[in-house]
Amino acid sequence: MADNRLRSIVIVGGGTAGWMAAAALIERFGANRHTRITLVESPEIGTVGVGEATVPHIREFLKHLKINEVDFVKRTSATFKLAIGFEGWAGEGTQFFHPFSEHGVPLLGTSFQHYWVKARGLGKADVIDRYVLSSELARAGKFAVPKSNDGKGFLYFNYALHFDATLVARYLKSWSMTAGVKHVEGKVGNVRLHGETGFVEALELDGGREIQGDLFIDCSGFQGVLIEKALGTGYEDWTHWLPCDRAVAMPCESRVAPPSYTRSIASQAGWQWRIPLQHRVGNGYVYCSRYLSEDGAIAALRKGVEGPALGEPRVLPFRTGVRRKIWNRNVFCLGLASGFLEPLESTSIYLVQRGLQYLLGSFPQARSNLALQENVNQRNRAHWDHIRDFIVLHYKLNKREGEPFWDECRHMSIPDSLTETIELFRETGRFRQDAIEFFRASSWLAMFAGFGLLPRYYSPSVDDVPEADLVKEFENMAAGIASAVAKAPSHEEFIRTNCLANLPVQAAANS
Ligand SMILES: Cc1cc2nc3c(=O)[nH]c(=O)nc-3n(C[C@H](O)[C@H](O)[C@H](O)COP(=O)(O)OP(=O)(O)OC[C@H]3O[C@@H](n4cnc5c(N)ncnc54)[C@H](O)[C@@H]3O)c2cc1C
């Protein structure tokens, strides 16, 4: 049998996606020395440099690479994230959380929300956030490491990180190069394709250099140098469901204690993010250019930030949608080259991670395998659709009546899959199985409850529990959570005690 292993993998792009790919690939192939891994990037083009809020899966990525989380937190100036706090989405003055944990506990095998709906109807239960430890910790500005109880029970929660994207790329670069990734600086110009197969054979760099490879990973950002410019793979536009098409980003000095959650603040024509880091705050306004000018967005952002600006506002245009294939011929794309979903649920970096799982889990051989490619493309696409639906939900259920952008979003048509998810919950308080793949039932519940969409009927088994017992259950849960919150340190104190950033002066200044 011929040796079917790949000899050379070339990554184009040295942003978060490129260095995550380099680290994951060298971790997999570092030991065998049969497969060379090269990363080429153009310092002249630069990286997007935003992308500072994550979901808990990032910690699994670090763990897989055997990167010490405390060291990573210190060197990327990270803070901890228990939830996303949505402000003003359900109307001016409202706030609710999307936490990284379950709500309450099931009773007699029936999900929490059925009991909560009944108790709420009787006036015996509070808003849903009171039954989620991480939401309550976030509300109180506190943080603690969850006690290990296998992810079960109402005192368990999960968490993610907020970090400085530039420092993360730097960290992963140093890690990957130490492990054996070859780094080349240069701008990819022409891409040479094989005359018959159309596979990429080589990249021609400025200065006449050339890089050959068997497999190419396109992490070149929005323009997709290989996947789109060279292979013309195609892009499916989702702007009709997610109408925001610009972001303006501007970091500022920290003036208040860092919250242990990402703030998402509904604004005139979109929403603003606030991401606390140890040495600054990341701020941005994601907006729809049909409803707000660039100057208007910059002015609104400047007005709302908590401290003096660190640099000028940077406008980033984007088009929400997905690349038609994540894997085409011998090119696999990741990061912004594979599509863009706005950062409302901090899913882009996670999608890089997921793409890498598809790649490593179905690893290509030297000979092409179309059935495998097709399978990966379908699975990846289903995953993007799932995340898209969850993000569209935020706009569809908004309660900002009388504001043109938000009125349009409330009245827009939505994907059929999302309509089914909403209607099933509205009627029965249940979730479609295929809708809870990444965003689990608790995530959907947080959004439905936050927007005040409650099911018409709860499960009949709830009525088997005597009312007095039901009330007691809710009191116990709320008391258990309140007691755990009271014992936890503030987020600021937790960081000071355990993982204060030790940034080189130059890195902090440049990031
Ligand atoms: C406004 C905004 C906010 C975001 N917020 C979040 C968030 O909170 N959480 C999250 O998970 N994600 C977020 N993201 C997404 C996140 O920033 C990206 O997923 C992540 O940074 C990965 O980017 P990238 O590496 O694909 O691309 P980039 O950072 O654009 O890097 C592209 C790389 O390709 C190189 N390159 C390009 N062309 C060439 C060429 N011809 N030759 C050689 N090299 C080339 C560049 O030099 C660069 O190194 C956000 C994105 C935006 C736009």
Side-chain angles (χ1 to χ4, degrees):
M1 288 271 276
D3 185 342
N4 234 345
R5 289 178 294 172
L6 298 175
R7 288 187 170 276
S8 167
I9 303 174
V10 180
I11 301 162
V12 178
T16 314
W19 286 113
M20 282 176 77
L25 286 165
I26 199 73
E27 197 277 333
R28 166 79 182 264
F29 293 109
N32 77 22
R33 297 284 161 214
H34 180 90
T35 310
R36 278 191 321 280
I37 296 159
T38 308
L39 184 145
V40 53
E41 68 172 317
S42 161
E44 179 191 318
I45 293 177
T47 63
V48 160
V50 280
E52 302 184 325
T54 62
V55 293
H57 299 66
I58 189 69
R59 294 174 42 235
E60 286 165 29
F61 183 78
L62 300 176
K63 205 166 159 189
H64 186 70
L65 298 179
K66 301 186 185 63
I67 289 176
N68 177 288
E69 189 176 308
V70 171
D71 180 59
F72 184 81
V73 165
K74 287 179 178 174
R75 286 176 53 193
T76 60
S77 190
T79 68
F80 298 92
K81 172 178 175 184
L82 292 164
I84 302 175
F86 289 93
E87 300 172 28
W89 286 75
E92 213 53 66
T94 58
Q95 188 201 31
F96 65 87
F97 287 101
H98 171 198
F100 296 130
S101 57
E102 303 293 316
H103 297 75
V105 275
L107 285 183
L108 303 176
T110 300
S111 304
F112 167 82
Q113 73 267 19
H114 296 283
Y115 293 94
W116 178 70
V117 169
K118 176 169 180 182
R120 191 91 177 123
L122 294 170
K124 305 285 187 191
D126 212 326
V127 293
I128 205 160
D129 285 335
R130 300 294 170 271
Y131 307 101
V132 189
L133 177 55
S134 48
S135 300
E136 287 298 274
L137 285 168
R139 197 161 67 102
K142 295 192 163 192
F143 181 77
V145 171
K147 287 209 168 63
S148 174
N149 58 354
D150 299 328
K152 295 196 187 77
F154 67 88
L155 292 183
Y156 177 78
F157 58 92
N158 207 345
Y159 67 93
L161 302 173
H162 302 118
F163 51 47
D164 181 319
T166 309
L167 297 179
V168 168
R170 211 173 285 170
Y171 188 106
L172 293 177
K173 177 178 179 177
S174 145
W175 190 93
S176 306
M177 287 175 65
T178 307
V181 170
K182 186 175 172 211
H183 179 225
V184 176
E185 286 196 349
K187 187 173 170 192
V188 176
N190 190 39
V191 176
R192 208 174 67 228
L193 305 183
H194 187 277
E196 283 168 24
T197 63
F199 276 38
V200 174
E201 279 187 332
L203 311 178
E204 294 171 8
L205 305 189
D206 45 3
R209 292 168 295 163
E210 185 179 284
I211 300 186
Q212 295 182 349
D214 301 322
L215 177 73
F216 292 84
I217 316 287
D218 188 347
C219 301
S220 65
F222 284 124
Q223 50 178 323
V225 171
L226 309 183
I227 196 79
E228 198 53 55
K229 278 190 169 170
L231 299 190
T233 303
Y235 191 80
E236 190 172 316
D237 190 315
W238 284 340
T239 311
H240 48 294
W241 289 319
L242 292 166
C244 291
D245 57 358
R246 301 263 188 293
V248 50
M250 186 189 72
C252 74
E253 288 178 21
S254 313
R255 281 292 189 264
V256 297
S260 48
Y261 64 96
T262 307
R263 291 178 66 200
S264 165
I265 309 156
S267 301
Q268 181 194 336
W271 61 279
Q272 298 194 33
W273 76 77
R274 300 284 183 270
I275 300 179
L277 303 183
Q278 292 193 36
H279 65 302
R280 62 168 167 78
V281 181
N283 309 289
Y285 190 169
V286 172
Y287 67 98
C288 174
S289 62
R290 285 188 288 115
Y291 287 93
L292 187 64
S293 68
E294 191 174 307
D295 288 347
I298 291 173
L301 181 63
R302 280 190 188 283
K303 199 167 146 211
V305 299
E306 74 184 45
L310 294 168
E312 287 303 305
R314 204 153 60 96
V315 178
L316 300 150
F318 57 78
R319 187 158 67 103
T320 297
V322 64
R323 194 71 59 203
R324 288 196 189 279
K325 294 177 182 175
I326 190 174
W327 186 359
N328 188 7
R329 298 180 215 169
N330 61 338
V331 173
F332 203 97
C333 61
L334 293 169
L336 300 172
S338 66
F340 187 68
L341 281 167
E342 57 169 273
L344 191 49
E345 285 287 344
S346 322
T347 41
S348 291
I349 292 171
Y350 159 72
L351 281 165
V352 173
Q353 208 177 326
R354 184 73 177 217
L356 281 165
Q357 273 170 14
Y358 290 135
L359 175 66
L360 292 170
S362 2
F363 206 73
Q365 49 191 6
R367 205 174 308 129
S368 77
N369 186 330
L370 279 178
L372 185 64
Q373 276 195 11
E374 189 52 29
N375 178 267
V376 167
N377 283 326
Q378 279 173 7
R379 282 158 59 212
N380 178 62
R381 177 54 195 262
H383 202 59
W384 275 73
D385 288 354
H386 160 71
I387 293 179
R388 174 206 63 203
D389 278 7
F390 190 69
I391 296 177
V392 173
L393 178 83
H394 299 49
Y395 287 97
K396 182 68 183 172
L397 296 188
N398 87 76
K399 289 193 156 173
R400 297 181 69 91
E401 287 173 23
E403 295 179 71
F405 167 77
W406 293 99
D407 288 345
E408 177 186 310
C409 292
R410 233 180 11 265
H411 294 117
M412 71 183 168
S413 69
I414 55 174
D416 291 345
S417 45
L418 178 56
T419 304
E420 284 170 29
T421 305
I422 294 175
E423 289 315 315
L424 182 65
F425 182 81
R426 197 198 298 277
E427 202 59 24
T428 69
R430 293 171 198 278
F431 302 96
R432 287 171 56 231
Q433 271 314 305
D434 53 354
I436 53 178
E437 192 197 353
F438 168 68
F439 287 113
R440 295 152 57 90
S442 56
S443 294
W444 291 93
L445 178 59
M447 299 314 295
F448 285 134
F451 282 114
L453 193 160
L454 298 189
R456 207 160 290 157
Y457 303 106
Y458 54 78
S459 167
S461 57
V462 169
D463 290 328
D464 293 342
V465 178
E467 202 177 302
D469 293 356
L470 187 67
V471 172
K472 195 82 204 137
E473 279 294 338
F474 278 92
E475 283 172 0
N476 287 345
M477 259 186 280
I481 287 171
S483 150
V485 171
K487 286 181 202 141
S490 75
H491 184 211
E492 194 177 28
E493 186 188 334
F494 182 90
I495 291 171
R496 197 176 341 107
T497 314
N498 299 290
C499 44
L500 203 57
N502 53 6
L503 303 178
V505 176
Q506 198 51 33
N510 292 344
S511 67

